Amino acid sequence: MTGGPITALRRPRRLVPGDRVAVVAPSGPLEADRLARGVGILESWGLQVVVGAHALERDRHLAGDDEGRAADLQAAWTDPSVRAVVCARGGSGAARLLDLLDWDAVRRAEPRVLVGFSDATVLHEAAATHAGVAGLFGPMAATEVFGGAAPDAETVEHLRTTLFQPEEAQVLSGAGTRRIAGGRAAGVTVGGTLSLLAGSVGTPESRPARGGIVVLEDVTEEPYRIDGLLTQLLRAGWFDGVRGVALGSWVGCGDDAVETVTARLQHLGVPVLADLPFGHGVPQLTVPLGVEAVLDADAGTLTMCEPALA
């Protein structure tokens, strides 16, 4: 991969009570009760919530067929009354929608917030590549941690703060953060779920992380798989010129997942911070993508240079 360093993306405006948000299911099938509870939380913040017409459909391991899922996403991204698009859950299938979307229409639309993690990594990359819009790598409406019977309070509150009062959520940290390689670095946040980033190499949406602060996490990937995914990105040049790395949770990836990652990336010679609480673990902090930030591995912090939303 070649090209200059990544640059900061357009920040959508923050939410205010009364804003309309759309919950869509671009990936796996949903549990109706979790979706209802998640929608209830969003509504308790004073938001008007509309759910995608096809959100509760099912087609094998997907939330309905590609055309229906793409239609819901397209409608949400281009409806001028919608201020945020919240993914309902991950799984797989989001990448299948990218060639079905009208990116010219998305570019013409006013930027709006995209919230999601895991499989939504490819949507964040697509929004960055095709529309130049920053996003939030954060909890999704119909997941256990947000819409389950006992939602995690810290996860829910951090997303609310990031959406409504982003200046109060600029510093990300956690009690268990670990300095792997010390130092301080500045750059634009980029990344997401490792397996999705590696799987996107060779597509129009794959952006090299040059000049960026890389945020990485994953779930249920064995160490040998993590090694292979990182090797794919390294050989493709994705990591060339990165300035720092922040690692999130590695749920179900084995006790030595972080050691596997850091051993594979140590030759980069950049600051590395581990166990920042974002990704598939609990709690799940909301991480802005496409925003200028400073990684301080010694202090255990990732600090946005400006609020994630305007």
Side-chain angles (χ1 to χ4, degrees), residues 32-50:
D33 56 344
R34 286 187 185 176
L35 175 62
R37 285 191 293 263
V39 167
I41 290 174
L42 296 173
E43 290 177 336
S44 76
W45 298 345
L47 297 171
Q48 300 178 43
V49 182
V50 56

Side-chain angles (χ1 to χ4, degrees), residues 23 90 124 189:
V23 175
H124 285 300
T189 52

Side-chain angles (χ1 to χ4, degrees), residues 29-38 41 87-90 117 138-156 279-284:
L30 309 184
E31 293 186 15
D33 56 344
R34 286 187 185 176
L35 175 62
R37 285 191 293 263
I41 290 174
C87 296
R89 64 154 290 189
F117 75 108
M140 298 180 282
T143 56
E144 180 67 23
V145 69
F146 193 91
D152 178 69
E154 183 176 352
T155 298
V156 171
H280 287 78
V282 179
Q284 292 178 8

Side-chain angles (χ1 to χ4, degrees), residues 49-144:
V49 182
V50 56
V51 176
H54 302 277
L56 287 173
E57 294 180 4
R58 185 176 190 123
D59 182 3
R60 296 170 298 138
H61 61 286
L62 302 169
D65 61 28
D66 292 351
E67 290 73 19
R69 297 188 342 272
D72 285 355
L73 186 56
Q74 182 79 46
W77 264 351
T78 57
D79 183 338
S81 72
V82 170
R83 301 307 318 168
V85 180
V86 180
C87 296
R89 64 154 290 189
S92 65
R96 294 171 52 153
L97 308 185
L98 299 183
D99 293 333
L100 300 178
L101 298 171
D102 182 348
W103 289 108
D104 287 336
V106 172
R107 277 189 292 273
R108 289 194 299 268
E110 185 178 353
R112 70 279 323 277
V113 188
L114 172 64
V115 183
F117 75 108
S118 194
D119 200 43
T121 296
V122 299
L123 301 181
H124 285 300
E125 285 293 279
T129 302
H130 296 296
V133 177
L136 299 178
F137 191 81
M140 298 180 282
T143 56
E144 180 67 23

Side-chain angles (χ1 to χ4, degrees), residues 39-296:
V39 167
I41 290 174
L42 296 173
E43 290 177 336
S44 76
W45 298 345
L47 297 171
Q48 300 178 43
V49 182
V50 56
V51 176
H54 302 277
L56 287 173
E57 294 180 4
R58 185 176 190 123
D59 182 3
R60 296 170 298 138
H61 61 286
L62 302 169
D65 61 28
D66 292 351
E67 290 73 19
R69 297 188 342 272
D72 285 355
L73 186 56
Q74 182 79 46
W77 264 351
T78 57
D79 183 338
S81 72
V82 170
R83 301 307 318 168
V85 180
V86 180
C87 296
R89 64 154 290 189
S92 65
R96 294 171 52 153
L97 308 185
L98 299 183
D99 293 333
L100 300 178
L101 298 171
D102 182 348
W103 289 108
D104 287 336
V106 172
R107 277 189 292 273
R108 289 194 299 268
E110 185 178 353
R112 70 279 323 277
V113 188
L114 172 64
V115 183
F117 75 108
S118 194
D119 200 43
T121 296
V122 299
L123 301 181
H124 285 300
E125 285 293 279
T129 302
H130 296 296
V133 177
L136 299 178
F137 191 81
M140 298 180 282
T143 56
E144 180 67 23
V145 69
F146 193 91
D152 178 69
E154 183 176 352
T155 298
V156 171
E157 179 59 21
H158 193 260
L159 177 59
R160 188 202 66 78
T161 301
T162 305
L163 289 172
F164 289 88
Q165 299 163 299
E167 67 280 353
E168 296 184 11
Q170 286 179 235
V171 181
L172 305 184
S173 189
T177 56
R178 291 187 286 152
R179 178 188 64 187
I180 302 298
R184 181 182 171 94
V188 176
T189 52
V190 60
T193 301
L194 172 61
S195 54
L196 275 300
L197 294 167
S200 295
V201 167
T203 69
E205 292 76 28
S206 183
R207 300 178 301 146
R210 181 180 300 277
I213 302 295
V214 174
V215 296
L216 285 180
E217 64 86 42
D218 217 317
V219 63
T220 60
E221 294 285 1
E222 294 290 337
Y224 79 90
R225 279 272 301 160
I226 292 173
D227 182 279
L229 293 167
L230 290 169
T231 298
Q232 170 73 359
L233 288 170
L234 286 164
R235 295 192 67 236
W238 192 85
F239 280 104
D240 291 355
V242 302
R243 296 176 180 170
V245 178
L247 304 177
S249 60
W250 298 86
V251 176
C253 294
D255 294 337
D256 59 347
V258 171
E259 287 69 24
T260 299
V261 176
T262 56
R264 197 71 188 88
L265 299 182
Q266 63 182 349
H267 70 283
L268 297 176
V270 300
V272 178
L273 178 66
D275 298 331
L276 195 63
F278 70 89
H280 287 78
V282 179
Q284 292 178 8
L285 296 186
T286 299
V287 180
L289 296 174
V291 177
E292 291 276 1
V294 174
L295 175 67
D296 190 332

